[in-house]
Structures are given as C-alpha cells and as structure tokens.
Amino acid sequence: MATLREVAQKAGVTVTTVSRMLNKPDMVSPATCKRIRQAMQALDYQPNEIARSLSKKTSNFIGLIVPSARNAFFAKVIERMEKHIAANGYKLLLCVSNHERKKEIEYFSMLKANKVAGVIIASHTQDISESISIDAPVISIDRIISPSISAVCSDNFNGGKMAADLLAAKGCKRIAYFTGGVMLRGMSASLRQQGFEQTLQQYGIQPIIQAHREDRFISMRYQDLIAEFFENHGDIDGAFCSNDILAAEIIRYALKRGIDVPGQLKVIGYDDIDLAALYTPSITTIHQPVNDISRYAVESIVHYGERPLPASTVFPVRLIERESA
Amino acid sequence: MATLREVAQKAGVTVTTVSRMLNKPDMVSPATCKRIRQAMQALDYQPNEIARSLSKKTSNFIGLIVPSARNAFFAKVIERMEKHIAANGYKLLLCVSNHERKKEIEYFSMLKANKVAGVIIASHTQDISESISIDAPVISIDRIISPSISAVCSDNFNGGKMAADLLAAKGCKRIAYFTGGVMLRGMSASLRQQGFEQTLQQYGIQPIIQAHREDRFISMRYQDLIAEFFENHGDIDGAFCSNDILAAEIIRYALKRGIDVPGQLKVIGYDDIDLAALYTPSITTIHQPVNDISRYAVESIVHYGERPLPASTVFPVRLIERESA
DNA sequence: AAAACAATGTCAAGCGGTTGACATTTCAAA
DNA sequence: TTTGAAATGTCAACCGCTTGACATTGTTTT
C-alpha cells in the first residue's frame, strides 16, 4: 500500500502539500491538485484512515448502541442511521446491548477507546450518563435517559392521543393498553401512555393498562400472557399496543379465538414496521419518524460544535389507518 | 485521557513493560502486573485503540456488508454477526449496500482504508473479487460470489428438496415456486430451485416457476404481481417461496380471496424469520442456520492464518412445520 | 562460584498523516 | 519597479503504542 510520502515523491511535491490537498483543498492550486491526483491514481493510493484518526485525535466512526438488531423497529433505525452516517462520510460502528446496562457501558468505553466522533444510543437505561465519560457528543434516541444527554424523540404523547381519538371515534368503549415491559420503559413510553389515558378520559373511558414485567416478556410467551389477559377481560373492543409486534400477537390471538378484527376488536399498533402492512388484517398504527430522528441525530454529531445541542428535539408522529382498526 | 507513558511513570516502570503486559502478558511478573494495573485504574487509563491499530497495521474491526439492514433476514444476520464479533473482542463496522455494486466496492475500499481484520459480505454481485484488493480475509455468506472468495452457506439444494417433499407428501399436485428477483439471485437461489424442481420431478410434478424481474420486485408491489399470477394459475394447491416475506404476501393474497391456507393452498416459506411464527396462519418454512453461518464466518476471520480457509462451507437447514402447510 | 535464566530496563525507530512556523518563489496589481 | 498575496517548500515534532536489540539485575541451578 502506497503512503503519502510516496505519492508526494511521485507528484514531485512535499508531503505537506499532499496532506494539505487532502485536508484544506482550497489551499492548493488546481494544477498541483491534478498532478497529485494522478500520482495517487498511479499508485492506487488510499489514505490510511487509522493514521489520520490518530493524528486528528478523532475518527469518523459514529457508534450506535441499540438493544437489538433483530427487532424490526431497531432494524429500521439501524438502516436509517447507516444511510445518514454514510451520506455524511462517516462509518457506523454497531453495538447491540441486548438491554444490558453492563454491555452498554462496556460498549461506551470501547467507543471511547476508538475515538468515535459521537455516539447515538437507544437505551432504556436511565442515568447512564454517570457511568460514562466521553468527550464526544452523545445523543439518545426515542427516550430521554438523562438530563445531560441530548435526546431526539418522536411525539409520544400525541401518538397516544391519536390512538385514543381513533378508538373513541370508532365507538370502542372497553379499551386496553398493552405495553411490553423492557422494550418500552422510560419517558417516551410513559408519555405515550399518558397521552392515551388522558385523552380517553376526556371521552369518559378508563382504559385497562396491561404492562408486563420485563422478565415475563423476555421469555417471549406472548400468546400465553395474552390468553391470561383475555380470561379476565374477554369483553374488550379496542386495544392499543406499544408496538406492532404486540399488536400482531393480539390479532393472532383474536383470530384463533374467532374474534373478528376489526369487527369485534379494534387493534392499533405503534412504530409502523414493515410487518404492519403485511399482516392480515393489516395493522393500523402510529408511524414513528425514524428517518427524521436518524437524520437529526447523525447531523447533530456531524455538526457538533457548530451549533449548540438542544436538550431534546421531538418530531411528529402520524396515524396510519389500515385494516385492524 | 491518560497515556501509556503516564501509566508507566506512575507504576514506576517503563513503557515497554506496560506495553508488554498488554500484549504478551506472560512476559511480565504478576507483581509488576498488579502495580501496573493499579496505576491504570488510578489514571482511568484506556489504551488508545487507534494508536494500537496504526502500530499493528491492523484493527480489530470486522466489516459486514449487507444489502439491507431492515429486511428481517439480514436483521437476523446482523444480530448474530454482532454477537460473535463482540464475543471475540472485535467490533462491527456495518455497511448497507442496498444491492448496489458501486456501493459495495466503495465500502470495500473504505474498509481497506480502515485496516479491518476482515470483511464478511452478503452480496448478489458476482465477480466482485476483481474489483477489490484487500490483504485481509474476505468471507462471502449465503452465496458463492467468486471462486477466490471463501463462502459459507446453508444447504440450499436440500432446502428446496425438503419443501418439495413436504408439499408432495401433503398431496399437492399443482405447485408453484416464487422467487424474488434481486434478493435471491446467484448460486444459492438456483441451488434451492434446483433441489425443489428435481425433487418434484421425481414425484412426477412439474412446478410453475415464477421469478420476477428485479425492477418489478424492487417496486414492492407484491400484491399486484401475485394477483397477476393467480389470474393465470388460480388452481395451484401448493406454493414454495424463496423467502418468508413472499410467503406472507401470498398467504395475505389468498386470505383476501377467500382461499383457505393450508386447506386449499399450502405455502412454504424460506429463512424462518420471526414473522413466520407470528403470522396467522403461522408459516411453515425452511430454517436457515444464521447463527452457525455467522459464528463460522466470524471465527474464520478471527483465526485467519491459523488454518486454511475452505473454498466453501455449508451448514444444514431444517424444516419447521407450522400452520401454512 | 560459575552459569543460566527470568524479569525489566534502555533506547529509539517505526506506523502514516497532520500541522505550525517560516522561508521561498511566482505572478499580478499598484 | 515595488509590493503583496498566493502557492509551495522545508523541517520537524507529534498522535500513542509497538517492538527489536541489548544491557542489567537478581535469583536459581549445578
């Protein structure tokens, strides 16, 4: 692999000039630029990013810590993040924490050791800011985990409200809210729930809140949990779920029991993952602005220092009406 | 951030000793080790991985190039890869190529510039080996893209065979094979199809092959394409799809048309993504050994040089019987 | 007591780029 | 012609860690 010095030699200039061309292009004349570029091509030169990073004391990696890569919602997050990261000339260092605080912290220090330009974290771990110290910007997405970490979220309160309005408008009277423990703890889920509950109360409806303990949900036996719920509340006619998977599970349960969806039971999901459009019946849901969140988070890091980081930024959500409600 | 030298000073040893402890631990006595470790703790020292990589001329990043991060199958691949990469003390550099050959090549050179320890690629691009030159090991997964790149795949031929056997055993006579263009080109898809066709022929059945052109499938209007197909072949009683999403789309179509699945039409998917168990009816499918493939691919890179890389390695698939067939 | 070995130390040159401080050359504007 | 900005060159230190070559010291072994 050719080095900068070899390129310089071949182009008949000094390393300084070549380096300048790479870093402050307008400082070197077009003619010289061209010669250098030719030399680079001839030698198949590629700057060694590692050396660059060492010298600059920062890399152009952006660390992304997510609880899961497989979950459709986070898969979407990863996809969008990667898109914007690459579009800005950065590289994605992906970390899957599996909801473990310990791993999140380990990943954090790994990212620090690799001098990342910034880290974006989707965590349910509150107060993580105490366990980490990093000079690069840290952005939390989807929830507020610490007052000192800038958050970019969607309008969860309004998401809850939209769902409530729709169910009420469709005439539902006995409504349940299902939330999936670990996946949706923290501020944003509660805001969502608050928006839902408060709005329903305006219609004179008191929803049944079904929040499962983490450990029960981690075991993934959704169908059993749902069956248990329906034994006690078989008469509900509306359900709002904190994510689309949960909505699909409930529809699945209903279909198996011969309950017509949306005829007898209207179901609304959350996130708008691909599955929502594919399921039969397709799932009415609240669309999360994953793309906006991702773009904003990435750009916040890329332009760090140019503008101050807001404590939090929230993007609007959208109701997507499909067949299930 | 403390440096090696500061640690050495604090511990009263030389940088050489500290570095030795980090790299060849058995060369330094337990007592000294302890003193150094204390100094490190006191200073909250963390080795600068960038500097390390520069010196060693290799990083512990592993590049993973996938066509998509959102697609459930690749989401699973990413999840598993990350798991094994992290377990081996490496870091995942994720690249999403969006099926574009140009991007794949760009990513390749980026990875090269970052001195990755190896790259794992899931590509449909044949002959990519000509466009890349990298001294690190390259592993292709899920398909054979070049004779010079070691591939780790699953037993696609047998996957096709299993599907054929099952449909035949269930008494299907008029069978179709659906394949999704761009997603499944290349060796492995054809092997899958071959296994399917050849086996059915043994039962005296000639399947209808429905392979869509890439551009049509990229537009994602599956339902229209399926409707078009059914207009000509409304009488099929068995369908094998090259992935679970496609299977779900077909089931969705059938359900909407009042065709009972599996009563009138049996459907088999491929991959065994989470959706398969969640759909109603749940989807009978061929399970891809994503975990085995991932582990093997990662370990091939981690242990590169210790053992020769086989030209290809194939893991067995499993039939998962559910409700759709 | 001599020989052998283990544990460290010493020194310094890399790895490949970046950058500041200044000197020099060139070409055009005043 | 003088002046000055623009374009390059020169030099060398620095980023933080690794490593080879050898010297030194203390502890065993025979």
Side-chain angles (χ1 to χ4, degrees), chain A residues 12-14 16-17 20 28-29 32 54-55 57:
Chain A
V13 296
T14 62
T16 308
T17 309
R20 282 209 268 249
V28 27
S29 72
T32 317
L54 176 60
S55 202
K57 288 162 165 286

Side-chain angles (χ1 to χ4, degrees), chain B residues 13-14 16-17 20 28-29 32 55 57:
Chain B
V13 297
T14 61
T16 309
T17 309
R20 281 209 269 248
V28 28
S29 72
T32 317
S55 203
K57 286 161 166 286

Side-chain angles (χ1 to χ4, degrees), chain A residues 238-306:
Chain A
F240 175 40
C241 307
S242 64
N243 66 65
D244 291 332
I245 308 274
L246 209 38
E249 293 279 8
I250 284 172
I251 295 173
R252 176 166 171 76
Y253 176 85
L255 260 30
K256 288 197 155 286
R257 288 295 167 286
I259 301 171
D260 183 51
V261 177
Q264 295 165 262
L265 174 65
K266 304 200 192 312
V267 180
I268 301 183
Y270 208 100
D271 291 346
D272 191 24
I273 60 178
D274 295 339
L275 163 74
L278 185 55
Y279 213 79
T280 311
S282 58
I283 304 174
T284 291
T285 191
I286 308 293
H287 175 88
Q288 288 242 43
V290 174
N291 194 51
D292 293 329
I293 291 178
S294 302
R295 184 176 357 85
Y296 192 87
V298 171
E299 289 178 354
S300 296
I301 288 173
V302 172
H303 299 296
Y304 182 63
E306 298 172 21

Side-chain angles (χ1 to χ4, degrees), chain A residues 41-56:
Chain A
Q41 273 209 295
L43 295 171
D44 190 26
Y45 171 76
Q46 251 195 316
N48 179 329
E49 290 292 339
I50 299 286
R52 235 161 183 233
S53 300
L54 176 60
S55 202
K56 294 233 183 117

